[in-house]
Amino acid sequence: MTATAVHAVAEPTICAPLPVLGADVTVPLATGGERTYAALDYAASAPALQRVWDDVAAYAPYYGSVHRGAGHLSQLSTDLFEKSRATVAAFLGCRPGDELLFTRSTTDSLNLLAGALPEGCEVFVFETEHHAALLPWRSSRLTVLDAPRSHEEAVRTLERALAAREPYGPALVCVTGASNVTGEIWPVRELAAAAHAHGARIVLDAAQLAPHRPVSLAELDVDWVAFSGHKLYAPFGSGVLAGRADWLRSAEPYLAGGGASRTVTRAEDGGVEVVWHTGAARHEAGSPNVIGAYAVAAACTALTEAGRLFGAGADRVGVVSFTAEGWHSSHLAAALSAEYGIGVRDGLFCAHPLVRTLLEAERTEPGECGAPQETDGQALSAVRVSFGAGTPEEHVERFLGAVRELLTDGARLDYRTVDGRWVPAV
């Protein structure tokens, strides 16, 4: 493969509409035989696009260190890494002066931003947030807002909370673009306008939104956006934080180490003195995950070329959560897997406050991600089905038929719990 060809890898060729890996994988059924696996847990981790896998495989033999190598492969890898940054920045509609950082995930991105908040910053979040957007701000002055029942109520609730805060101090609003529990689209542009009208900034958790809808910092008028590659059909351990540079450049580096440092010298007191970089490198210490960054860029290119899975008029993405009367959610999820070859998620979906609210449970009622300890009756949990690119109609139809059969006729097998999980008792 020539150097010219490796450069071309940064601009993948157009291919058929978004096939994914694993479409033909079969799994054993506890009732006997095998069946093609119906992957309906995209909201947790989406399968890799075939396009992404092929692009990464084409680059892999030419992998090299990034930024600090004089060798030919290091130069090619550095070029690919920075072209990937530019591709993702275009995908996100970044504005002139915005910074784009490669991280490990949405969780990592929001924790990075939390560490960059100026002293005394107040943070406002709704209880509807995923834990990745709810928990990083606990060391700040945090206000958690009740779950709204409409877009209008969300905006009014935020406006009231911001109007009551101390004037002139820094403030940040963190909001999801689409719920990982209900799939509902949030009024991001209106919430951004409310935040800015009261002197606050806003960060958008686009982990569920970006795979389905265009996300533009400029058009939505948000200050930052965060998302994960593994939900964007690029499961190679990379995420993104993009947006305003000032707080990021004035903060201590997220990680201290090589790459983040411009110069390091011995100090007279026996320690070391450091001058840190001011750009993206400031928060990207260590050897960059060039394959992860390139995978995200390849996914962004593929999604842009293919268009989106839901039209502009859709008010939700492909996420639905539910409970079934008389069924423990983990029992139902186990039966869907063991008897029908269908993979869904059960539990509280790392959004405990929201699920408690939706199930009309007390805020302090026990419950945890995965299977709760209780195994009888309607426990505090739900089942979530989610889908996206590459999901065949047969998988959705099989899921609907399986739920109908299980609720009407019951499971064909007996189940027991092992380490808190329901499994066939065979």
Side-chain angles (χ1 to χ4, degrees), residues 59 62-66 73-81 290:
Y59 161 66
Y62 301 87
Y63 170 80
S65 62
V66 174
L73 297 191
S74 291
Q75 294 295 309
L76 290 177
S77 294
T78 297
D79 183 63
L80 186 66
F81 186 71
V290 59

Side-chain angles (χ1 to χ4, degrees), residues 342-425:
I342 299 170
V344 298
R345 182 147 298 222
D346 64 276
L348 302 177
F349 320 125
C350 291
H352 294 190
L354 172 57
V355 177
R356 286 191 173 93
T357 295
L358 293 174
L359 295 179
E360 299 181 341
E362 295 294 330
R363 289 181 176 177
T364 58
E365 185 173 337
E368 61 186 71
C369 285
Q373 294 301 312
E374 301 91 332
T375 58
D376 296 322
Q378 185 66 61
L380 180 59
S381 65
V383 174
R384 183 183 70 192
V385 56
S386 53
F387 51 89
T391 302
E393 287 187 16
E394 187 275 326
H395 289 184
V396 177
E397 292 170 356
R398 190 197 315 175
F399 165 75
L400 294 173
V403 170
R404 187 179 301 112
E405 288 182 8
L406 288 168
L407 269 57
T408 301
D409 304 325
R412 285 173 280 177
L413 303 175
D414 293 327
Y415 290 80
R416 60 190 178 92
T417 59
V418 177
D419 297 328
R421 298 296 310 179
W422 289 72
V423 296

